Amino acid sequence: MALSMEPAAPVIAVRGLRIQFGATVIHENLDLDIRRGEVVALVGGSGSGKTTLLRAIIMLLQPAAGSIQLFDQEIVGIGDSAAFRLRRRFGMLFQQGALFSSLTVRENVAVPLHEHTRLPAQRIAEIADLKIALAGLPADTGAKLPRELSGGMIKRAALARALALDPALLFLDEPTSGLDPVSAGAFDELVVQLKESLKLTVVMVTHDLDTLWSATDRVAFLGEKRVIGYAPMRELTRAEHPLIRAYFEGPRGRAAREQMCRAK
Amino acid sequence: MTLNVPVAAIIRQESGIWRCEGYWTLDGIETLDRPLSGIRWPAGVVQLDGSGIQAIDTTGALCLLSLVADLERDSRQVHRIQFREEHLALLDLVQERRASAGVLPPPPPRQSGLERLGRSVAFHLSGALGFLAFIGEAAVALGRLMLHPGRFRWRALFGNIETAGVNALPIIALLSFMMGIVIAYQGGQQLKAYGANIFIVELVSLTMLRELAPLITAIIVAGRTGSSYTAQIGTMQVTEEVDALRTIGIPPMDLLVLPKLLALIIALPLLTVFADALSVFGGMVMARALLEVSFSDFLDRFPQVVTPTSFLLGVGKAPVFAAIIALVGCYQGFQVRGGADSVGRQTTVSVVQSIFLVIAADAVFSVILGSVGLWR
């Protein structure tokens, strides 16, 4: 009973992870825990391996050593059928959206449903339309092709596809990059709102300081091939590590913080 | 952690109240649709009890709401009782979003056969006109280049000659050698029956030099190089690289089309000569093995029966074929719109069209050369 009282068991547990491409080591002995219901951002300078870590967690990349547990299941060296079942439980928003260009938005959202369920086509179309609406897109978007959408709409359509299977866990790779400040702010709000109402756990890679301040519960700072800081934003910006200071103490970092403090 | 309880959404009647139980989630509702349609609902008021619902997600909420909507459409009243606060919140969210969700558009009206025919003719005519316009643009760009030869991109030209010409040598060698063997073998059987073994020289040399070697080479190059031109330009079109070139002030015609066109016009005749040599060699090997015509007999007779005209006519067709392949390949590349799908489609169109046009051009050559008496 005492165990189940613990409020937030980790959904993702990474231990001693090493990822390398040839002789280049990206991560060495990296540990990271993400609890149920959290919004966690991975940050760090360019080339610090944020996206690489994300790709390892969603099984697109085999690490060289270490262990990754997703929903209490070890995914390093996982079998194909177990991986297939696990893929049903998370959604991924790729940086460029990665919508299938030959399919309409509705068909894009329906792809995972057709692949993972045996629901009738009519019901799948209904579910797809609901997800499109949940992502905040106007009703006529479903019939459009990806090339007819603006950048912000592509992100939302990709989010609708990521939400297709009602995943408990959502991965976002730079969700607000390439969006204007208003759209980016609206996207952050959408993520927080969906997280609240659908009880999602969200892991995102982002450079957007406004997103970090307004949408995250904790931020993991990647540097020196591991996580060098992992705390809520307010604490992280006070960290002593020179890399973290350099990241947040630049003029843009300060401006975002001041704006945040004024808003509160 | 593993539960052996089946994950399913359940709805059952108990003393006049309809109890929703179990897992109203994507996994759970897969089994729900069929039993739902079998339920005979009472008239008047339906009481739905949600206290037994273990978990609900947006898909389950959608199912429940569409059930409620169906019941209300049949003029029943639905009372939701004992739903948990958090489940009601999700139902409200889905209800609100569902109201703004799109309705499926009506399928496009079926076109009559005549309309389809008309549309297809118009489509292909506009394609042909577009291709003509493209040829015109390429000619203008070529003219501009003549005036400013210093702006020509030599590196691109040599790079293209290497990939389209030098790198194609092995496959051209193998295939034309085998073509020589096939022709000599098939024809040789007939000649042997009449004791006319030595005429194998005419058969192989004229067939190969005038018709087959240029044609085979052009077809291989269309499949190998024309398709890569389309895919390359098409992908650049998708990633806006073509627009970037325009913005920087480099006409895509100058960088992407002219070097490819000129490279192929230079490379294809050379490849054809190479194919001529290898296919005749294939014929020689077969003639010796099958018809007892030795290499020296073959080579003695070769200059007597093959005039330079025959050789030049074959090689002379190659630049025309090259222009067709390069122009079709580049034109189809610029026709790419959208994404990966379109790249694949235009690449197919490019190969089919260029092979078609090459063979059609070859037929036109035969008719014209025949009518002016250049048979030999």
Side-chain angles (χ1 to χ4, degrees), chain A residues 72 88 101-102 106 113 116-120 122-123 125-127 129-131 133-134 136 139 147 165-166 193 197-198, chain B residues 1 26-27 29-30 33 57-59 62-63 66 86 90 93-94 97-98 100-105 337-341:
Chain A
D72 296 321
R88 181 173 173 156
S101 57
S102 56
R106 180 182 294 114
L113 291 161
H116 285 271
T117 72
R118 274 171 295 171
L119 293 169
Q122 178 65 36
R123 171 70 23 115
E126 261 177 53
I127 298 174
D129 278 337
L130 173 67
K131 305 291 154 139
L134 275 174
R147 63 166 172 269
L165 295 168
D166 273 301
Q193 188 195 353
S197 50
L198 306 182
Chain B
M1 266 309 280
L26 186 60
D27 303 272
I29 60 143
E30 260 183 54
D33 273 338
D57 65 8
T58 55
T59 310
L62 182 70
C63 269
S66 67
E86 66 217 63
L90 185 71
L93 174 76
V94 171
R97 292 308 172 114
R98 194 168 168 246
S100 67
V103 280
L104 288 174
R337 297 285 178 277
D341 187 44

Side-chain angles (χ1 to χ4, degrees), chain A residues 202-260:
Chain A
V202 181
V203 182
M204 65 169 100
V205 167
T206 187
H207 285 296
D208 188 329
L209 290 158
D210 296 323
T211 307
L212 291 176
W213 278 107
S214 61
T216 62
D217 296 320
R218 283 200 291 174
V219 175
F221 195 101
L222 270 63
E224 297 172 348
K225 300 173 186 171
R226 57 194 177 84
V227 177
I228 54 178
Y230 189 24
M233 196 57 186
R234 195 165 290 275
E235 282 173 44
L236 191 70
T237 48
R238 297 198 200 99
E240 290 297 312
H241 198 287
L243 275 177
I244 303 180
R245 289 183 63 123
Y247 191 92
F248 292 115
E249 293 296 306
R252 294 156 72 93
R254 264 205 299 273
R257 182 165 59 183
E258 278 159 19
Q259 195 188 343
M260 223 32 229

